[in-house]
Amino acid sequence: MGHGRTPVRTSAAGAVCAALLAGGVVGLAPAAQAAPSVRFVDITGDGGTVLKANVVTPEGADGTHAYPLIVLPTSWGLPQAEYLAQAQKLADSGYVVLTYNVRGFWQSGGEIEVAGPPDVADASKVIDWALDHTPADPRHIGMAGVSYGAGISLLAAAHDKRIKAVAALSGWADLISSIYSGRTQHVQAGALLDGVGVVTGHESPELRQIFDNFYASNLSKEQEMIDWGRKRSVATYVDQLNSNGAAVMLANAWGDTVFPANQYADFYEKLTVPKRLEMRPGDHATAELTGLFGVPNDVWTDTGRWFDHYLKGVGNGIDREQPVQLKSRSAGGYEGYSDWKSVGATRRKIALAGSSTIHANVDSGADGGIVFLSSILDQVAQLPPMASIPLLPRRWAAVWQSERYGAPQPVRGTTRLHTTLTPTKESGTLIAYLYDVGPLGFGKLVTNAPYTWYGRTPGEPFGVDLDLFSTAYDVPAGHRLALVVDTVDPLYIEHNPSGAQLTFSSPSDDPSYVSVPLREQ
């Protein structure tokens, strides 16, 4: 995969430690609240692997009445106590709830398969066990989870027709588009997952090799990695999922640095089943976090409403609401849309005129931030990564700005970059950033995305089309939008040979631009 230049093991060490500390708190807090009726059990999964699990049943359940079943696979690296607060709430409202530690983590047997076929088979084995050992109704089965649990729940619903409803929170639909978008390794995200897996689980030899090839930028193994990821992506099985008919709720955060919003939105458009898409401020799993402590939480409230309607038949109106619900990173309440295409109903193009040449291998100061930490700051204090646009060194960063806007600009959806690039080397990486620039020239990051190429003829121009990560952000009146392009960002592995230069141009017959989606006003 080219010439990797980022020190991978250390680049995300701080983020890994922070995530492990947070995971410990999340895992322990619900356990302290666990009701005495919780039953801890062993379940035999695929191939005889023992899965550690717990079961919470409605108060007074005596086997004379069947209840809808909800199965909750744990998140990556978290113990089986993760969902106990929510499991108790669901049980109190009339569900049998079974939460289990996925194979390879904590006390469950086996090795980490990253939602591979054994994990999908485990989900069905868990359902089998619940039907045999609890008062669960085989006609009303749902699955839900955060992150890893979300991905496994979606894959299970595509392979097991018994599952009638899914709530997939901060998950993935396309693993490759998540951590290898634009043919660029999202190194902080990868190192975070790897570090947590090493500390809390047992990585399989196959997974260890995938991570090693990922870090080493081993281009000869690229297709092997892509095939491995596709097998673990529900987008590969979307036809099966649609055929099975499970109602699917997807929820994610705009700043998710592990599973970016784009891949969920793209997948949502391909679903023909009853569906709902929710997007909020935050980073990976932070929007759901307070709910794991039992605190009232929008994501978990809507998850309960989703199951109440599609498993119990409750007429709570969730099926009549606008199915796409978005909350801006910089504004107040929720906005409803009939579909994803309606989110950015209007597009405004900013011309990228002239020609600009930058030198590679140096960080210009325009960055996407730090995994978890930056988007959490944006979520709680509306403080995204910032840069002084006038002070960015033009030797290492190309900069274009719009005019000052006389009215607020509600950016909604996916910003697209189109430009013509002439490199001096056959491979390379660029990172595009969109900034909200105030009167003093300080830019707040609106969105970004990386792009990597190989096998190009040096000195020969080619077209670049890049979708930046989807977002919802309100640019105040009197501000500008700025597009910045450079070649180094700590979030990603870059592939620029030493001494490389990139020239961006705007031919008259194919002008360069950035197309910004705006909510219709």
Side-chain angles (χ1 to χ4, degrees):
M1 281 168 267
H3 311 279
R5 303 176 57 88
T6 306
V8 276
R9 294 279 182 184
T10 58
S11 66
V16 170
C17 293
L20 286 173
L21 288 172
V25 172
V26 169
L28 292 173
Q33 304 173 20
S37 60
V38 175
R39 183 159 56 108
F40 291 87
V41 300
D42 289 351
I43 297 175
T44 302
D46 185 57
T49 297
V50 175
L51 306 174
K52 297 296 182 177
N54 55 66
V55 181
V56 186
T57 53
E59 185 178 359
D62 58 7
T64 62
H65 177 73
Y67 300 89
L69 169 68
I70 295 178
V71 175
L72 302 168
T74 52
S75 301
W76 184 273
L78 292 188
Q80 67 192 84
E82 175 187 6
Y83 299 117
L84 280 179
Q86 286 300 323
Q88 185 64 59
K89 286 188 174 185
L90 289 166
D92 287 345
S93 62
Y95 293 94
V96 171
V97 185
L98 193 157
T99 169
Y100 71 97
N101 232 117
V102 293
R103 65 170 54 223
F105 284 104
W106 293 88
Q107 293 177 311
S108 284
E111 297 174 322
I112 301 171
E113 298 286 347
V114 195
D119 288 304
V120 177
D122 283 346
S124 292
K125 293 285 189 180
V126 168
I127 292 172
D128 292 341
W129 186 94
L131 295 178
D132 288 341
H133 295 87
T134 75
D137 187 340
R139 301 166 302 169
H140 301 101
I141 298 173
M143 286 192 68
V146 176
S147 185
Y148 195 38
I152 290 174
S153 294
L154 287 169
L155 284 160
H159 289 83
D160 193 326
K161 294 181 179 181
R162 295 175 296 179
I163 299 168
K164 303 303 181 186
V166 173
L169 317 179
S170 290
W172 77 92
D174 187 328
L175 196 56
I176 297 302
S177 291
S178 295
I179 62 173
Y180 192 57
S181 71
R183 293 185 80 183
T184 310
Q185 296 96 321
H186 297 210
V187 65
Q188 285 190 15
L192 173 64
L193 295 173
D194 187 11
V196 172
V198 167
V199 172
T200 64
H202 311 282
E203 293 183 345
S204 67
E206 180 186 37
L207 176 58
R208 184 68 263 152
Q209 191 62 56
I210 288 290
F211 272 127
D212 290 346
N213 290 336
F214 180 84
Y215 296 140
S217 304
N218 188 345
L219 193 59
S220 69
K221 298 293 185 179
E222 182 185 40
Q223 189 58 51
E224 180 180 316
M225 182 185 72
I226 290 172
D227 293 341
W228 176 88
R230 285 177 177 163
K231 185 185 295 185
R232 290 159 171 80
S233 300
V234 71
T236 303
Y237 313 102
V238 65
D239 291 341
Q240 290 177 220
L241 183 60
N242 285 331
S243 176
N244 287 351
V248 175
M249 172 180 154
L250 306 171
N252 206 353
W254 294 120
D256 195 320
T257 44
V258 180
F259 303 132
N262 291 45
Q263 49 91 34
Y264 247 16
D266 292 344
F267 177 68
Y268 174 83
E269 286 291 278
K270 298 173 184 175
L271 290 173
T272 59
V273 296
K275 59 184 179 178
R276 182 178 177 93
L277 175 66
E278 299 185 354
M279 295 287 191
R280 299 173 174 85
D283 204 312
H284 184 63
T286 62
E288 301 88 1
L289 182 61
T290 57
L292 295 178
F293 291 89
V295 176
N297 175 283
D298 288 353
V299 188
W300 286 104
T301 296
D302 285 347
T303 295
R305 294 174 64 222
W306 191 253
F307 286 134
D308 283 349
H309 181 74
Y310 287 103
L311 296 184
K312 288 183 177 180
V314 175
N316 55 20
I318 196 167
D319 57 318
R320 298 190 299 274
E321 295 173 0
Q322 296 276 51
V324 177
Q325 294 286 323
L326 311 181
K327 190 174 185 180
S328 171
R329 292 161 47 201
S330 47
Y334 289 91
E335 304 164 0
Y337 299 86
S338 59
D339 55 28
W340 177 251
K341 293 177 182 177
S342 302
V343 171
T346 303
R347 285 198 165 266
R348 172 167 291 185
K349 285 187 178 181
I350 301 171
L352 309 181
S355 178
S356 180
T357 298
I358 62 173
H359 295 249
N361 310 123
V362 174
D363 190 337
S364 71
D367 285 326
I370 300 172
V371 65
F372 276 119
L373 300 181
S374 297
S375 291
I376 291 175
L377 275 175
D378 186 34
Q379 178 183 0
V380 301
Q382 294 185 7
L383 288 175
M386 298 179 66
S388 174
I389 304 305
L391 296 182
L392 289 176
R394 273 28 178 196
R395 178 180 177 85
W396 297 301
V399 180
W400 298 266
Q401 295 192 71
S402 72
E403 76 282 2
R404 282 196 178 91
Y405 296 116
Q409 303 295 298
V411 178
R412 299 288 187 275
T414 307
T415 295
R416 296 188 173 97
L417 167 64
H418 173 74
T419 189
T420 296
L421 170 63
T422 305
T424 60
K425 306 289 185 178
E426 67 175 15
S427 65
T429 298
L430 63 85
I431 304 94
Y433 310 87
L434 188 69
Y435 283 98
D436 159 26
V437 185
L440 299 179
F442 288 103
K444 292 184 175 181
L445 185 65
V446 177
T447 182
N448 77 100
Y451 179 91
T452 295
W453 66 92
Y454 300 100
R456 293 289 178 175
T457 302
E460 185 174 303
F462 63 93
V464 171
D465 289 286
L466 175 62
D467 283 356
L468 278 62
F469 301 134
S470 303
T471 195
Y473 181 97
D474 294 87
V475 179
H479 286 212
R480 307 174 186 265
L481 282 170
L483 182 80
V484 177
V485 181
D486 72 2
T487 61
V488 176
D489 189 305
L491 286 174
Y492 313 111
I493 291 181
E494 53 96 359
H495 302 270
N496 296 291
S498 180
Q501 298 180 34
L502 312 180
T503 297
F504 302 93
S505 58
S506 183
S508 57
D509 60 343
D510 186 19
S512 296
Y513 61 85
V514 60
S515 175
V516 181
L518 302 176
R519 186 188 68 210
E520 193 168 0
Q521 295 175 289

